[in-house]
Amino acid sequence: MKILIVDDNADDRRVLRYTVEAQGHKVLLAEHGEQGLAMAEQHKPDLIISDALMPVMDGFRFLRNLKQKPSLSDIPFIFYSAAYRENQDVQLALSLGAAGYIIKPIEPPTFWKEVEQILANSKATHRLVSQPAPETSEYFKRYSQVVATKLEEKVRELEWTLEERARAEANLQRALKEREVLIHEIHHRVKNNLQIIISLMQMQANYVTDPVARLAFKENETRVLSMALVHDKLYQSLRLNQIRIAEYMRSLVEELASTKPNVSIELDIPDLSFDIDTAIPCGLILNELIMNTFRYAFPENRSGHIRVQLRTSGTISNASGQPAPIYTLTVSDNGIGLPGHIDPKNSNDPKTLGFRLIAIFVHQLHGTSTYESTDANGTEFSMTFSPVLERAIPAPIVVDGDSHA
Amino acid sequence: MSTSPSKGRILIVDDEQLIVATLEMSLEQMGYSTTAPASTGEEAVKIAASDNPDLVLMDINLPGAINGIDAAKMIFSRFRIRSIFVSGYPHSEMASLADGPWSRGYITKPYSLERLQSAIEVALDPRA
């Protein structure tokens, strides 16, 4: 047989074609009723299998047009549709002279059995020759009813999809909002706890009379404050693990500068973002350097100047082969230089705790550092480092009730 | 309560008792006296009414129905006493709610005693 398949869906056309060809028949393909009509006129197929819902010309109009052409009206016509499957749809199809109606989708072997069954029935009842086309007015009435019902159904589907989408969007927004509130709450609690640590130190400092011990408490308070500042900046940052280093260092320096008004501090820092693993050691290093400079370079109420500079000084290929920037942090002053008994490299001297901490944080940044005397008799600290590699955070293990691992 | 002349009497509002105790100690060393502390907004309004402090150090996140900002507004509208907010929330986030005639400053936690002292000095400066 020569069979014309009409369907606007390419996948459906392909499956139908294989099914029909597998039965040893020749296949003609069309994408909608208008094309199907032209091909039917040209090739006079022995059977037409058509979808119902199609653009340009749907299956019902296609069938009605066929039946109005004497040369084509005898060709058996089978609907194969997923969209129209209500009783009124099937009734309209049969009243227009369809030999049968198969509801999509159906397995290929079953499909072909259905086709054979329909053809056998229609021959037996002579339906394809005896069935008269309905009156035009009756046809339009039933046709518009079928199409309108389908349209309503599609609109309902669309409305439901839109509602579903709006619901999903609202849920997503709510989840995001909750996450944001939670993160802010955590930052708030961290800062509150840091205030409690500071309060503990202030309280304890009040119980010691030794000025060296009191100073030690004060210095630790400043260290905690410089770490707390990271949380302040992270909290305000859009990316939760990145902070703008210039802003962070400026706040840090402002906080310290208020304790030594006769020393001016100049900052020359580009607007770069550092991750917290890099920013915290950088902040602590800067904190120690400035505290040391205040103490040694500008004793009593000597006035002076400190300059803090951050520069990109090159690139390096990191462990994953990506180019990573190399930074140089320089802190220089025009003070009186380090006293002779202070050696920044002798980290066992208790007077050099600040220098020891700097060495620890430089090491943590995989950096190198130098101290040099400047022409102005001051000191210049310089550190070269590259941002710390991102962490490979293990995924949390979900333990189910039965597991004893 | 101290009998020596005080630079001003301050009401501390915070639900964290260690912070309250440290503040009481530090303020005394700075030369200020304190009223009984409050740990909720309701309590703060009550103590402001009975003790008539010169200034309030007000935490924002407080237990109970009244937060620190609302308590500060109530204390200002009823008794014309103003507050310095002391909070873990950054000022940028709270500015639109916290700033107003009831406020004499905003300090974020954690803070140094120097910062606290300068904020109080500014707040109590009669020239300001």
Side-chain angles (χ1 to χ4, degrees):
Chain A
M1 280 201 290
K2 192 157 64 178
I3 302 178
L4 172 62
I5 292 167
V6 187
D7 200 312
D8 60 324
N9 183 305
D11 289 337
D12 287 352
R13 274 202 308 275
R14 196 175 312 122
V15 172
L16 276 181
R17 180 188 172 165
Y18 293 153
T19 310
V20 171
E21 281 180 348
Q23 300 299 324
H25 302 291
K26 193 169 182 304
V27 170
L28 298 164
L29 294 171
E31 290 175 22
H32 50 74
E34 202 175 275
Q35 219 178 57
L37 201 59
M39 292 190 76
E41 276 181 328
Q42 196 187 334
H43 300 284
K44 301 280 182 310
D46 303 301
L47 171 65
I48 297 172
I49 300 171
S50 174
D51 189 14
L53 185 66
M54 292 181 292
V56 187
M57 181 190 284
D58 72 4
F60 300 109
R61 284 170 58 210
F62 175 35
L63 175 57
R64 186 172 152 83
N65 275 308
L66 282 169
K67 293 299 173 194
Q68 285 171 348
K69 291 183 194 295
S71 62
L72 303 175
S73 63
D74 284 351
I75 304 171
F77 188 105
I78 298 175
F79 269 112
Y80 183 48
S81 169
Y84 292 100
R85 52 182 170 196
E86 301 304 319
N87 200 37
Q88 65 170 358
D89 308 332
V90 179
Q91 286 310 316
L92 175 66
L94 297 179
S95 76
L96 286 170
Y101 204 109
I102 303 172
I103 291 167
K104 214 191 249 184
I106 196 166
E107 287 298 316
T110 318
F111 172 80
W112 190 251
K113 273 195 197 106
E114 282 286 298
V115 170
E116 283 178 329
Q117 185 67 49
I118 289 166
L119 288 177
N121 281 352
S122 69
K123 269 184 193 125
T125 60
H126 303 288
R127 188 204 298 268
L128 51 146
V129 286
S130 62
Q131 181 79 24
E135 289 301 310
T136 307
S137 63
E138 176 64 14
Y139 159 73
F140 277 119
K141 194 177 140 207
R142 289 168 72 176
Y143 175 67
S144 25
Q145 203 178 342
V146 162
V147 172
T149 308
K150 182 65 358 194
L151 199 63
E152 274 168 29
E153 196 181 295
K154 288 284 168 196
V155 167
R156 268 199 306 277
E157 262 173 42
L158 197 63
E159 276 172 353
W160 191 82
T161 309
L162 286 174
E163 275 169 28
E164 189 66 3
R165 206 189 185 136
R167 264 196 297 276
E169 212 159 287
N171 281 339
L172 196 64
Q173 287 296 336
R174 197 165 43 243
L176 277 173
K177 188 79 202 148
E178 273 171 14
R179 177 175 171 269
E180 203 174 298
V181 167
L182 196 65
I183 287 166
H184 281 202
E185 194 50 36
I186 289 167
H187 276 295
H188 178 262
R189 277 173 195 258
V190 166
K191 288 164 76 186
N192 215 54
N193 285 342
L194 290 173
Q195 181 62 53
I196 289 170
I197 291 169
I198 287 175
S199 296
L200 276 170
M201 289 192 287
Q202 288 169 346
M203 182 74 97
Q204 193 154 19
N206 223 39
Y207 284 81
V208 296
T209 47
D210 178 19
V212 177
R214 287 182 78 113
L215 182 66
F217 278 111
K218 183 73 210 157
E219 284 183 351
N220 276 330
E221 197 185 310
T222 315
R223 289 176 186 125
V224 175
L225 281 171
S226 77
M227 289 181 71
L229 212 46
V230 169
H231 281 276
D232 217 44
K233 299 297 167 197
L234 272 179
Y235 187 98
Q236 295 166 47
S237 147
L238 289 173
R239 291 182 61 193
L240 290 161
N241 58 345
Q242 298 268 317
I243 71 169
R244 297 169 82 164
I245 197 72
E247 218 178 281
Y248 171 49
M249 288 189 162
R250 178 160 297 110
S251 304
L252 193 88
V253 162
E254 270 169 18
E255 186 80 37
L256 290 164
S258 64
T259 64
K260 194 92 169 171
N262 50 328
V263 176
S264 62
I265 306 180
E266 179 196 347
L267 287 166
D268 179 9
I269 298 163
D271 187 14
L272 295 168
S273 283
F274 279 16
D275 61 283
I276 17 178
D277 288 335
T278 307
I280 290 181
C282 278
L284 288 168
I285 288 170
L286 187 61
N287 184 60
E288 295 304 324
L289 284 169
I290 290 176
M291 283 203 298
N292 274 337
T293 311
F294 281 175
R295 190 186 313 158
Y296 297 121
F298 306 109
E300 280 121 34
N301 276 331
R302 238 187 104 100
S303 60
H305 186 73
I306 300 175
R307 186 178 150 82
V308 181
Q309 192 190 48
L310 183 71
R311 281 279 164 272
T312 308
S313 52
T315 54
I316 189 171
S317 168
N318 69 13
S320 45
Q322 300 293 315
I326 299 172
Y327 298 109
T328 300
L329 176 71
T330 310
V331 179
S332 53
D333 65 72
N334 63 353
I336 60 166
L338 287 171
H341 66 282
I342 301 286
D343 175 11
K345 287 166 194 81
N346 179 5
S347 54
N348 289 326
D349 182 349
K351 288 197 189 66
T352 61
L353 171 63
F355 292 113
R356 177 157 191 201
L357 292 176
I358 292 169
I360 289 169
F361 297 130
V362 169
H363 181 69
Q364 181 160 325
L365 288 171
H366 307 287
T368 54
S369 64
T370 56
Y371 292 90
E372 274 166 29
S373 290
T374 63
D375 295 341
N377 203 20
T379 309
E380 181 177 288
F381 165 87
S382 182
M383 167 179 70
T384 298
F385 66 100
S386 192
V388 176
L389 281 179
E390 290 210 1
R391 287 166 189 271
I393 301 167
I397 296 163
V398 179
V399 181
D400 62 37
D402 301 328
S403 171
H404 299 285
Chain B
M1 202 165 35
S2 169
T3 49
S4 63
S6 150
K7 293 199 280 179
R9 226 148 71 91
I10 298 172
L11 162 58
I12 300 166
V13 188
D14 201 306
D15 59 315
E16 204 64 67
Q17 293 313 306
L18 181 66
I19 292 176
V20 172
T22 312
L23 276 174
E24 282 178 334
M25 186 188 77
S26 308
L27 291 175
E28 194 187 317
Q29 282 167 359
M30 292 174 196
Y32 300 102
S33 60
T34 52
T35 66
S39 57
T40 65
E42 288 90 338
E43 224 182 322
V45 178
K46 232 178 263 173
I47 296 170
S50 60
D51 290 28
N52 194 35
D54 300 303
L55 182 70
V56 184
L57 283 184
M58 182 73 82
D59 186 15
I60 290 178
N61 189 348
L62 293 169
I66 306 177
N67 65 42
I69 295 172
D70 290 346
K73 286 179 183 169
M74 289 162 77
I75 290 171
F76 178 72
S77 61
R78 294 188 196 175
F79 321 115
R80 317 311 287 174
I81 302 167
R82 300 200 270 192
S83 297
I84 293 178
F85 291 109
V86 184
S87 173
Y89 299 115
H91 182 229
S92 56
E93 197 156 301
M94 286 290 156
S96 61
L97 297 171
D99 292 0
W102 52 85
S103 165
R104 289 296 280 134
Y106 194 107
I107 311 173
T108 50
K109 283 179 185 173
Y111 49 84
S112 61
L113 290 178
E114 289 78 9
R115 183 172 283 255
L116 176 71
Q117 186 161 14
S118 74
I120 294 173
E121 274 166 15
V122 170
L124 289 176
D125 189 344
R127 291 164 297 173

